[in-house]
Amino acid sequence: MKNTVNFIKEKTNDFQPEIGIILGSGLGELADEYCDYAIPYNEIPNFVKSTVQGHKGRLVFADISGKKVMMMQGRNHFYEGHTMQEITYPVKVMKALGIKTLILTNAAGAVNESFKPADLMIITDHINFMGSNPLIGINDETFGERFPDMSNIYKKNLIDIAKKCANDLKVDLTEGIYWANSGPSYETPAEINMIRKLGGDAVGMSTVPEAIVANYCGIDVLGISCITNAASSSTGAKLSHKEVIEAAANAKTKFKSLILEILKKL
Ligand code: HPA
């Protein structure tokens, strides 16, 4: 950890970020526009490389709306074969660099039938169905406790700020529960029916490991899903990664303006 943190501090002229943002599939443009320092993951000690198309794979540091922000342009996923500990290592690095608030974003399939592609959904809570947990293993008490409480991950004050910003910008914002599967296969119609019955509104393959680790080490989390598709249904419509990336691209302008507005108000 010391290695990683010292390397980043050196490369960024001791930039001291206060807010972290993890940019999901197709949502990375913010880090192209605002970039004071950028470090590719494959240069950073102890980081794993991102292998998914649509994900750039670099840390970007920038002053945005008067805030010092550290962005992950692209994230690592469990389905790439990395361990839960590997994919959440950057969140611990963020903690060590002093981050207090983390905005997690992702592309997700709609389970709630009132959602449509390009909708933005505030995550109010999550269901971890990935079959693992990033806190498995020896616990480092300097980050958090062995059995951390998870009853209040997605902070109400952050949700209220996001809603107010969306309202000011006249951007529609829905809210709901994010269900995480490991992937990489998309869900079957039967699985989507199950998720709906069990309370999921949107489904994806990320975010939950990072949210668990952030909450464990005392970082406040705001989660925003970009709904990219109707999750698999009995209509038999076929779903592709291309469709997911294209739908995220359609939402990226409003997504970006919402994030910029939220940064102003934080
Ligand atoms: N399922 C799982 N993950 C996803 C989906 C989906 O329908 N869309 C985008 N990420």
Side-chain angles (χ1 to χ4, degrees):
M1 178 60 65
K2 259 210 178 107
N3 249 355
T4 314
V5 170
N6 289 341
F7 177 86
I8 292 170
K9 284 187 170 166
E10 199 177 298
K11 288 277 178 189
T12 60
N13 208 6
D14 205 13
F15 190 97
Q16 293 182 357
E18 42 188 326
I19 298 164
I21 310 180
I22 301 185
L23 297 162
S25 303
L27 302 171
E29 202 177 80
L30 193 70
D32 287 326
E33 278 175 34
Y34 296 87
C35 177
D36 297 340
Y37 303 95
I39 322 173
Y41 297 154
N42 56 10
E43 290 179 12
I44 305 173
N46 307 320
F47 264 52
V48 286
K49 283 190 228 165
S50 173
T51 65
V52 197
Q53 121 214 31
H55 292 260
K56 227 173 193 162
R58 55 182 203 160
L59 283 187
V60 172
F61 298 78
D63 268 295
I64 312 179
S65 309
K67 302 286 171 8
K68 295 225 174 274
V69 182
M70 168 178 178
M71 291 171 275
M72 288 186 74
Q73 195 173 26
R75 56 152 63 81
N76 296 304
H77 298 85
F78 191 45
Y79 61 72
E80 292 173 84
H82 309 305
T83 65
M84 281 276 170
Q85 290 73 20
E86 283 168 339
I87 62 173
T88 53
Y89 180 73
V91 177
K92 290 185 181 163
V93 171
M94 286 182 175
K95 174 71 183 181
L97 287 168
I99 275 172
K100 306 274 186 294
T101 307
L102 177 60
I103 304 176
L104 292 170
T105 71
N106 59 52
V111 175
N112 185 320
E113 282 161 323
S114 72
F115 295 173
K116 41 184 197 319
D119 276 354
L120 298 179
M121 182 192 92
I122 285 286
I123 302 175
T124 53
D125 203 353
H126 74 224
I127 295 173
N128 178 15
F129 210 70
M130 297 179 93
S132 189
N133 189 298
L135 302 177
I136 289 174
I138 293 168
N139 186 47
D140 180 347
E141 292 279 335
T142 59
F143 282 107
E145 57 187 307
R146 172 76 291 186
F147 300 107
D149 174 72
M150 291 285 146
S151 58
N152 184 24
I153 302 179
Y154 303 91
K155 296 290 183 283
K156 171 94 169 51
N157 64 319
L158 298 178
I159 293 173
D160 288 345
I161 290 172
K163 282 183 177 169
K164 177 164 191 333
C165 292
N167 194 47
D168 291 349
L169 294 169
K170 301 195 171 21
V171 166
D172 286 335
L173 199 58
T174 60
E175 60 180 52
I177 293 177
Y178 178 87
W179 177 292
N181 283 332
S182 72
S185 51
Y186 290 118
E187 295 71 30
T188 64
E191 285 164 345
I192 294 301
N193 283 336
M194 174 192 77
I195 293 169
R196 192 175 292 122
K197 282 185 183 141
L198 294 182
D201 293 293
V203 58
M205 307 172 191
S206 68
T207 302
V208 163
E210 295 117 320
I212 290 172
V213 171
N215 187 60
Y216 152 79
C217 59
I219 299 174
D220 290 347
V221 177
L222 173 68
I224 306 174
S225 289
C226 173
I227 301 297
T228 52
N229 55 281
S232 166
S233 70
S234 48
T235 62
K238 210 170 162 185
L239 175 60
S240 69
H241 184 57
K242 186 162 166 276
E243 179 185 338
V244 167
I245 297 295
E246 282 171 5
N250 287 338
K252 73 183 173 193
T253 308
K254 68 175 173 182
F255 170 81
K256 223 170 38 187
S257 43
L258 179 61
I259 297 282
L260 291 174
E261 196 63 26
I262 291 170
L263 287 176
K264 270 190 223 159
K265 300 251 158 62
L266 282 179

